[in-house]
Amino acid sequence: MEQKWWKEAVVYQVYWRSFNDTTGNGIGDLQGVIEKLDYIKSLGVDVIWVNPFFESPDKDNGYDISNYYAVMDKAGDMETFERLLEEVHRRDMKLIMDLVVNHTSDQHPWFKESRSSIDDPKRDWYIWKDPKEDGSAPNNWRSYFTPSTWEYDEKTQQYYFHSFAIEQPDLNWENPEVREEIYNMMRFWLDKGIDGFRMDVINLLAKVKDYPDVDEPETINYLGNNPGIHNYLKEMYREVLQHYDVFTVGEIPFVTPEDGLLYVGEDRQELNTLFHFEVCDDMVQMDLPRFKEIQKRWYEGMFGRGTNSQFLNNHDHTRMVTRFGNDNEYREESAKLLGTLIHTLPGIPYVFQGEEIGMTGIDFPSIEDYQDIAMLNKYNEEVEKGRDEAEVLEELKLLSRDNSRTPMQWDDSENAGFTTGNPWIKVNPNYSDINVRQAMDDKNSIFYYYQDLISFRKRYKVLTYGDYQPILEEHPAIYSYFREFEDEKLLIVTNMSDEETVFDYSVDTSGAELLLHNYAVENDISSSHLKPHEVRVYLWTS
Ligand code: ISL
């Protein structure tokens, strides 16, 4: 397997609007990111992924772009972005940007022109279709955020297509002018010196020909991985990416390892890595047998041929310690355990802001407290069916994207030190206990544990290039595996349950170094008894 800088990277995701507000308007900003770069650097990460900060009506928190060449006022301005990039580079880190090109905002001038008339030269930049004979939508597809992918436009009496909200019309990638315009925009940012892209739902660009009705509209998997997608990505690589030394990670829902390799195979000349969603989209809470099965299948499918990612939360997915761990009695232990998985399983690790201090999800009492368009649309859809409001709210809470979007908890001052103003979304009330200041003052904090995890990744190549040999695969509570590369060998042992359990596997750890451990060191590390959410990482070097 070829060794590359980006394979050895650890990425920190900054959801800037919830990171650090320097203007007092209650919304984080790019200047706020600049001011916290030393903090990010101190964790040991190499790459920062910044969520979209382009001009946008902000219906979907920046994923509805109205001008790809301008910075939205809330985030700052171009000069501040350039300074951010310079400051990131000065600290020897890299910056990747979100590329959102499946759709634009309905306020983008291209769409405004496109909808102005059937004969407009930009009509074909988006996807327009006539109604069915009875006047209904062209097919029965569901979008991510609404019951139909089609929105009727009175003026021109056609429907336009949107995979997400009504305000996010999909671009027509079949049109070469659209593709050329997007490639120009990518060059604009790459020429500024950015180090790559996280590509939003990049496998959705190609659509199923003729848009037929489907038997199970609620699966929405027909939105992605359609014929033609690899032609677009190969063209993008040829036209743009191959001319820069950059890192690309595609957001690719509904993908199998076999199909994943078509996107990121080392011989494919498309993307470097991908996010698949077999864990975060499909597993509501930790389902250990399934989690093991997913890790094994992706390892077997990709090892030596393509690079995967490891993440258990991001701005769309509830904080991992709440969803996959225990955010109560074992919050610290289980945050460290889950972090260990992210940094020791094969794939590039992602840390989502606040994860390194074990931030948790939220449980706001009222729908008014929630902001996420996906959740609000779903809430309205269900309530309009006549369902009980309180019941719908309870049902949607656990997976609401707002769980991960509450402000970063810096200290125990008002609003967690995030803003002097009124935060755009409520701060998690637990900020007085869980915050960066507290983590800095506690030598056993999750933060310092993450620092160790990341520094070991830099020191031992086995974490990047090692193989993966799971053991005790049928065990209901233990997840354990070896990794090996050249003269380095690791054993990761975890108890993923709230009960004590016994590690019943014969392995001589006497010659090993205990690299990491999430319980007090006084514990007997050779004991086969594992405490709730205990994790140990052993290392052999020869
Ligand atoms: O959020 C999800 C589930 O609750 C995901 O399915 C998510 O919608 C999907 O992964 C696509 O996400 C990306 O594109 C969206 C944007 O809203 C998300 O924030 C972004 O990460 C549309 O651009």
Side-chain angles (χ1 to χ4, degrees):
M1 196 191 326
E2 219 187 325
Q3 302 197 359
K4 290 262 190 210
W5 69 264
W6 51 262
K7 291 186 184 171
E8 297 172 19
V10 176
V11 186
Y12 188 85
Q13 183 191 347
V14 175
Y15 197 63
W16 56 268
R17 72 185 59 229
S18 300
F19 197 56
N20 183 28
D21 172 22
T22 59
T23 65
N25 69 352
I27 307 167
D29 43 57
L30 298 183
Q31 177 60 29
V33 183
I34 296 178
E35 292 178 14
K36 296 294 184 183
L37 285 178
D38 288 335
Y39 167 76
I40 298 174
K41 174 77 185 173
S42 74
L43 204 50
V45 302
D46 332 75
V47 177
I48 300 179
W49 154 26
V50 187
N51 284 93
F53 48 78
F54 316 97
E55 210 170 86
S56 162
D58 238 4
K59 297 283 177 200
D60 185 21
N61 290 5
Y63 283 91
D64 49 324
I65 296 171
S66 52
N67 181 354
Y68 287 104
Y69 293 90
V71 173
M72 77 165 89
D73 290 344
K74 287 175 188 167
D77 54 23
M78 190 62 90
E79 189 268 319
T80 316
F81 172 74
E82 285 165 357
R83 218 154 21 81
L84 168 63
L85 184 59
E86 202 180 299
E87 292 295 323
V88 168
H89 287 163
R90 207 161 64 76
R91 287 168 179 77
D92 235 358
M93 294 188 288
K94 297 187 189 276
L95 186 145
I96 65 169
M97 195 177 99
D98 236 290
L99 183 77
V100 188
V101 293
N102 174 68
H103 44 271
T104 67
S105 160
D106 62 349
Q107 298 306 307
H108 196 293
W110 300 340
F111 188 71
K112 287 187 176 171
E113 273 187 57
S114 182
R115 84 186 307 173
S116 67
S117 102
I118 287 193
D119 307 318
D120 187 89
K122 291 224 163 38
R123 185 65 171 183
D124 193 38
W125 280 42
Y126 293 83
I127 300 163
W128 292 94
K129 295 268 179 248
D130 286 328
K132 280 187 177 167
E133 268 175 21
D134 64 0
S136 65
N139 69 20
N140 66 350
W141 295 5
R142 227 201 113 84
S143 88
Y144 270 83
F145 299 163
T146 58
S148 170
T149 46
W150 300 98
E151 180 67 10
Y152 188 62
D153 185 60
E154 278 297 338
K155 184 160 180 226
T156 56
Q157 302 192 353
Q158 282 192 320
Y159 282 86
Y160 70 83
F161 182 83
H162 58 93
S163 297
F164 292 87
I166 291 169
E167 298 87 348
Q168 292 166 298
D170 282 33
L171 282 163
N172 177 14
W173 271 73
E174 282 186 19
N175 184 333
E177 285 173 22
V178 169
R179 305 204 298 273
E180 195 43 50
E181 190 62 41
I182 297 296
Y183 302 153
N184 285 336
M185 180 272 285
M186 291 170 73
R187 289 185 200 107
F188 169 85
W189 290 98
L190 288 165
D191 290 339
K192 278 194 184 293
I194 65 156
D195 303 290
F197 295 107
R198 174 269 187 189
M199 300 188 177
D200 194 57
V201 286
I202 202 68
N203 62 330
L204 266 54
L205 304 184
K207 317 296 183 202
V208 179
K209 203 167 163 297
D210 300 334
Y211 298 83
D213 276 335
V214 289
D215 291 339
E216 292 177 49
E218 51 300 327
T219 65
I220 70 168
N221 58 7
Y222 42 84
L223 295 176
N225 307 309
N226 293 314
I229 182 62
H230 297 291
N231 295 341
Y232 298 148
L233 293 179
K234 282 193 189 305
E235 182 182 78
M236 183 187 279
Y237 181 84
R238 230 179 21 247
E239 293 287 320
V240 185
L241 298 169
Q242 69 160 334
H243 304 292
Y244 303 83
D245 178 22
V246 288
F247 167 61
T248 54
V249 49
E251 190 198 28
I252 313 215
F254 327 117
V255 76
T256 59
E258 295 69 44
D259 287 347
L261 265 190
L262 299 177
Y263 292 91
V264 303
E266 299 202 346
D267 53 348
R268 294 284 297 173
Q269 312 212 305
E270 294 190 21
L271 305 177
N272 294 148
T273 67
L274 57 76
F275 297 130
H276 73 76
F277 290 89
E278 290 202 35
V279 177
C280 279
D281 263 355
D282 301 344
M283 194 186 292
V284 177
Q285 278 169 317
M286 181 48 75
D287 174 344
L288 191 53
R290 189 160 167 205
F291 188 75
K292 290 178 181 178
E293 186 276 322
I294 292 170
Q295 296 302 336
K296 188 171 179 180
R297 189 160 35 81
W298 276 87
Y299 166 74
E300 287 171 353
M302 303 269 278
F303 187 65
R305 286 176 288 168
T307 304
N308 199 357
S309 313
Q310 292 292 345
F311 67 101
L312 289 173
N313 48 201
N314 63 26
H315 65 293
D316 291 333
H317 297 281
T318 301
R319 289 197 172 275
M320 66 185 193
V321 69
T322 298
R323 185 171 169 194
F324 299 125
N326 178 328
D327 67 0
N328 211 333
E329 197 182 347
Y330 300 110
R331 185 184 65 88
E332 299 232 354
E333 291 80 3
S334 96
K336 289 174 183 172
L337 185 159
L338 295 170
T340 309
L341 298 183
I342 293 169
H343 293 262
T344 65
L345 282 167
I348 296 177
Y350 283 75
V351 181
F352 175 60
Q353 68 182 43
E355 174 188 324
E356 74 281 13
I357 55 165
M359 277 176 62
T360 67
I362 34 144
D363 185 0
F364 291 149
S366 154
I367 189 69
E368 312 294 323
D369 297 323
Y370 289 89
Q371 312 277 340
D372 166 27
I373 186 170
M375 179 182 187
L376 299 181
N377 280 7
K378 190 73 190 159
Y379 177 86
N380 289 333
E381 189 184 330
E382 293 302 307
V383 168
E384 273 162 28
K385 288 181 192 159
R387 291 189 53 197
D388 178 62
E389 292 179 4
E391 185 190 301
V392 175
L393 178 61
E394 277 316 304
E395 200 174 281
L396 296 179
K397 271 182 183 178
L398 176 67
L399 295 187
S400 166
R401 302 194 300 179
D402 287 336
N403 278 293
S404 287
R405 297 178 176 185
T406 58
M408 181 73 182
Q409 293 163 207
W410 294 104
D411 56 39
D412 62 4
S413 68
E414 205 185 350
N415 295 321
F418 162 70
T419 180
T420 52
N422 202 3
W424 71 273
I425 185 168
K426 275 189 182 171
V427 175
N428 191 319
N430 64 18
Y431 74 88
S432 42
D433 297 324
I434 303 172
N435 60 63
V436 170
R437 168 95 35 92
Q438 182 280 334
M440 294 293 160
D441 291 344
D442 171 8
K443 70 177 188 354
N444 290 319
S445 70
I446 302 164
F447 180 89
Y448 293 123
Y449 187 92
Y450 265 63
Q451 249 187 357
D452 285 346
L453 272 171
I454 295 168
S455 77
F456 292 136
R457 195 175 179 85
K458 304 290 156 204
R459 199 172 320 157
Y460 302 112
K461 289 213 163 191
V462 61
L463 284 162
T464 305
Y465 299 107
D467 66 1
Y468 168 77
Q469 305 153 30
I471 56 172
L472 299 174
E473 289 179 80
E474 307 301 319
H475 198 291
I478 289 178
Y479 184 25
S480 180
Y481 43 93
F482 285 98
R483 297 200 62 192
E484 217 170 331
F485 178 71
E486 295 178 346
D487 56 356
E488 295 168 359
K489 182 171 170 176
L490 289 172
L491 170 64
I492 291 89
V493 180
T494 72
N495 172 9
M496 311 253 308
S497 77
D498 289 349
E499 321 298 328
E500 291 213 2
T501 190
V502 175
F503 182 65
D504 195 5
Y505 184 85
S506 156
V507 55
D508 178 10
T509 54
S510 55
E513 180 186 345
L514 183 72
L515 214 53
L516 282 158
H517 189 206
N518 65 344
Y519 271 84
V521 269
E522 304 85 66
N523 279 356
D524 177 6
I525 62 146
S526 61
S527 156
S528 56
H529 286 264
L530 295 174
K531 295 193 184 310
H533 300 275
E534 180 166 350
V535 56
R536 300 176 193 172
V537 179
Y538 298 92
L539 169 77
W540 290 262
T541 46
S542 47

